[in-house]
Amino acid sequence: MPYGQLVIGPPGSGKTTYCHGMQQFLTGAYHRKVVVVNLDPANDLLPYECGIDIASLVSVEDTMKYLKLGPNGGLIYCMEYLEKNTDWLQHQLDQFKDAYFLFDCPGQVELYTHHTAIRSIVERLQQLDFKLVAVHLVDSHYCTDPSKFLSILLTSLSTMLQIELPHVNILSKIDLIERYGKLAFGLDFYTEVLSLDYLLQRMNEDEFSKKYRKLSAALAGLIENYSLVWFATLNIQDKESVANVIKVIDKANGYIFNQADHNIAALMSSAVGADFDYFKYPFIAFTYIM
């Protein structure tokens, strides 16, 4: 019964860096046999040790050259090609026994919000008894702009409904969160997605956003009605931050309930949900919350 993470998110959110850091941490601290699977046919600069690379099946460069497609069209074609050739992926995965898999996925948002290729590939992996969790990375600096934060909430919700996997949304690069401006509210407002009425009030202070206040209110109401989206935080350079993200992920895909590298105290803690909210963002708590 293989376990793994489907690492998704928009361009620039840090997916490849996440896979590199997570591979090192899980291998060194948790002694897991980690295999990174590169499913991004446009990513030819891989900092991590890649066990399986989609480039050996199809690449965006060749697709653009021979089919005369642009970058986005070429990437969509590559994912559809992989969807039709999941036997190749299965054969590659079968070569690694008792491994923990990290699937480094492309950054095109449409692949997760409404296109069916990734969803079909996930369904095939589930048929092979893979226990997966979708790890959706979002650049944390979007929190500094109310309009952008509303957009990532909507994108996260749409992705959760489309992919249909246990889902962990993560605000990445949390140590750089205020590089583009100060937060209007405490960090827990953004991680717990508290009342969006306050967010709408801030949006109405902007002349451009004010034009679309009815649309924004409708979108905020949709997000609150589903009440599915929340965020963990991550600084991939901070060991404590990574460890707490792993705790959330292991709980989401069930790894913690089936493996011996977690002691009974950790197992019971996850089973009853005894962890305090502090552990979602430990190293920044005093900076942005206290």
Side-chain angles (χ1 to χ4, degrees):
M1 184 186 297
Y3 288 84
Q5 304 176 28
L6 189 76
V7 184
I8 61 179
S13 57
K15 297 182 296 298
T16 297
T17 302
Y18 172 90
C19 289
H20 186 206
M22 189 62 66
Q23 181 186 45
Q24 292 178 318
F25 196 84
L26 289 175
T27 301
Y30 286 77
H31 308 293
R32 299 183 193 177
K33 178 183 177 182
V34 179
V35 175
V36 182
V37 182
N38 177 39
L39 293 184
D40 186 352
N43 189 0
D44 54 0
L45 298 175
L46 304 176
Y48 48 71
E49 181 181 345
C50 185
I52 303 172
D53 192 350
I54 191 177
S56 61
L57 175 69
V58 64
S59 71
V60 169
E61 183 178 357
D62 289 342
T63 301
M64 293 173 60
K65 179 179 179 180
Y66 295 110
L67 298 181
K68 309 302 180 184
L69 296 172
N72 286 339
L75 191 142
I76 294 294
Y77 177 88
C78 289
M79 300 315 296
E80 291 177 345
Y81 189 81
L82 177 61
E83 179 187 6
K84 301 299 182 183
N85 292 273
T86 52
D87 289 343
W88 171 86
L89 181 59
Q90 179 181 352
H91 174 72
Q92 298 294 319
L93 294 170
D94 286 343
Q95 299 179 40
F96 300 94
K97 302 299 182 183
D98 302 320
Y100 186 96
F101 293 92
L102 299 175
F103 294 89
D104 187 5
C105 296
Q108 271 60 22
V109 175
E110 60 268 27
L111 289 171
Y112 315 112
T113 57
H114 59 274
H115 199 274
T116 60
I118 292 291
R119 180 172 174 173
S120 297
I121 294 169
V122 167
E123 290 175 349
R124 178 57 179 159
L125 291 173
Q126 290 177 315
Q127 292 173 3
L128 298 175
D129 207 26
F130 272 75
K131 304 301 180 185
L132 298 174
V133 56
V135 178
H136 183 223
L137 298 178
V138 176
D139 199 320
S140 61
H141 81 76
Y142 290 129
C143 296
T144 61
D145 186 313
S147 298
K148 291 180 179 179
F149 184 66
L150 184 64
S151 71
I152 66 168
L153 288 176
L154 190 62
T155 301
S156 299
L157 176 60
S158 179
T159 301
M160 294 174 77
L161 298 176
Q162 171 73 5
I163 299 298
E164 295 185 336
L165 279 177
H167 208 93
V168 177
N169 294 301
I170 294 178
L171 294 175
S172 62
K173 309 175 189 177
I174 196 64
D175 51 315
L176 306 176
I177 190 171
E178 290 192 332
R179 171 175 289 186
Y180 297 94
K182 295 290 184 180
L183 296 180
F185 310 101
L187 186 62
D188 57 338
F189 176 87
Y190 301 96
T191 57
E192 301 299 331
V193 190
L194 302 177
S195 176
L196 295 182
D197 289 340
Y198 297 105
L199 193 72
L200 294 173
Q201 291 176 13
R202 294 301 297 254
M203 293 175 66
N204 290 335
E205 296 174 3
D206 179 77
E207 289 300 322
F208 180 80
S209 299
K210 188 187 297 185
K211 299 178 183 179
Y212 305 99
R213 59 182 179 274
K214 291 184 179 179
L215 175 61
S216 298
L219 294 176
L222 176 68
I223 294 165
E224 289 186 326
N225 286 341
Y226 273 97
S227 191
L228 290 175
V229 183
W230 68 276
F231 294 95
T233 60
L234 176 65
N235 172 9
I236 196 63
Q237 305 297 331
D238 184 87
K239 293 181 179 179
E240 185 178 4
S241 178
V242 176
N244 283 286
V245 165
I246 292 173
K247 185 186 297 184
V248 176
I249 291 171
D250 284 352
K251 184 178 177 181
N253 66 5
Y255 186 94
I256 194 171
F257 301 108
N258 196 44
Q259 299 298 321
D261 65 344
H262 295 85
N263 60 41
I264 190 65
L267 178 65
M268 294 304 296
S269 174
S270 288
V272 300
D275 291 328
F276 295 104
D277 287 344
Y278 169 85
F279 291 107
K280 293 177 183 176
Y281 26 77
F283 80 105
I284 52 171
F286 291 99
T287 304
Y288 300 109
I289 299 174
M290 300 300 184

